[in-house]
Amino acid sequence: AEVELGRMASQKAVNPEVKRFAQMMVDDHTKAGAELKQIASKYNVDTADQSKDFDKHKDAMDRLSKLRGSEFDKEYMKAMVDDHQNAVDSLESRVDSTASLKDKITDKDAKDTQVVPEKTDNEVAASTNQWAAQSLPVVRHHLDEAKAINDRLDRNGRVTDTARNTTSRNNKVRK
């Protein structure tokens, strides 16, 4: 669903940052989906029953498909913030929160460096937890990017001058 929304946004978005983010969604979610499909295939897990999530994303696709221009950009980015917050919450349920908390306390900048999968004796769950631990830093990055872009979009869907200047200063500081 994220891939399909990303493809739609790659075509419909007017803001270059939204287009870039959408392409990142297509690339990263295609890769993550393929990795998860390998796990499902390895353990013969049936992935057909996703009706609740499918309906939710179909509704988002339908709603977004009717929007144009900056209105599309703003609504797409709002949806990406919500979706990625939910994804972070879901992935965090499969990692060892104690290890992550310890890392956050000892090194505030290392929030993702020591993401440890939750331990389990179930092979399927162990593989899924490992995938979640590997995916969590990427999804957190997506959430941070989505929030930043969403915050910079003004009512017309363009990046505000203040936000553009702040972004330039922040990028110089990071380098």
Side-chain angles (χ1 to χ4, degrees):
E2 291 288 342
V3 172
E4 291 305 314
L5 284 172
R7 285 186 182 132
M8 178 191 293
S10 292
Q11 295 171 355
K12 293 185 69 149
V14 293
N15 183 293
E17 282 189 274
V18 176
K19 283 185 175 285
R20 179 193 55 77
F21 182 87
Q23 188 58 53
M24 181 173 62
M25 293 301 92
V26 171
D27 297 343
D28 291 354
H29 284 270
T30 298
K31 180 182 176 202
E35 292 167 353
L36 201 51
K37 283 179 187 175
Q38 281 184 320
I39 294 169
S41 176
K42 179 179 178 179
Y43 296 105
N44 297 315
V45 174
D46 182 15
T47 59
D49 187 24
Q50 301 173 359
S51 56
K52 180 180 136 189
D53 288 335
F54 179 78
D55 289 344
K56 177 183 157 197
H57 286 288
K58 185 177 178 331
D59 290 344
M61 290 280 291
D62 290 344
R63 183 174 47 82
L64 289 169
S65 70
K66 296 172 185 165
L67 301 176
R68 300 278 180 260
S70 60
E71 186 179 17
F72 173 88
D73 291 0
K74 187 70 175 163
E75 291 303 312
Y76 172 72
M77 292 313 303
K78 282 181 188 176
M80 291 298 95
V81 170
D82 292 344
D83 288 354
H84 284 86
Q85 184 60 64
N86 291 337
V88 165
D89 294 344
S90 181
L91 292 171
E92 284 179 341
S93 73
R94 294 190 161 271
V95 300
D96 183 351
S97 59
T98 307
S100 296
L101 180 60
K102 179 182 171 190
D103 291 335
K104 288 177 187 177
I105 292 170
T106 57
D107 184 359
K108 292 176 186 168
D109 293 329
K111 71 177 181 182
D112 293 325
T113 57
Q114 297 296 321
V115 178
V116 178
E118 187 174 71
K119 292 186 183 351
T120 180
D121 292 333
N122 179 302
E123 280 187 67
V124 177
S127 291
T128 305
N129 293 352
Q130 180 63 43
W131 175 85
Q134 291 170 340
S135 300
L136 183 57
V138 176
V139 177
R140 282 182 179 154
H141 171 72
H142 291 170
L143 176 59
D144 291 345
E145 286 282 313
K147 285 179 177 178
I149 293 168
N150 191 49
D151 288 346
R152 288 191 297 265
L153 291 175
D154 69 7
R155 290 180 197 209
N156 296 321
R158 292 185 297 265
V159 176
T160 62
D161 289 334
T162 304
R164 193 176 293 121
N165 292 338
T166 303
T167 301
S168 297
R169 283 193 304 270
N170 288 342
N171 288 338
K172 288 177 186 173
V173 171
R174 286 186 200 132
K175 292 177 183 174

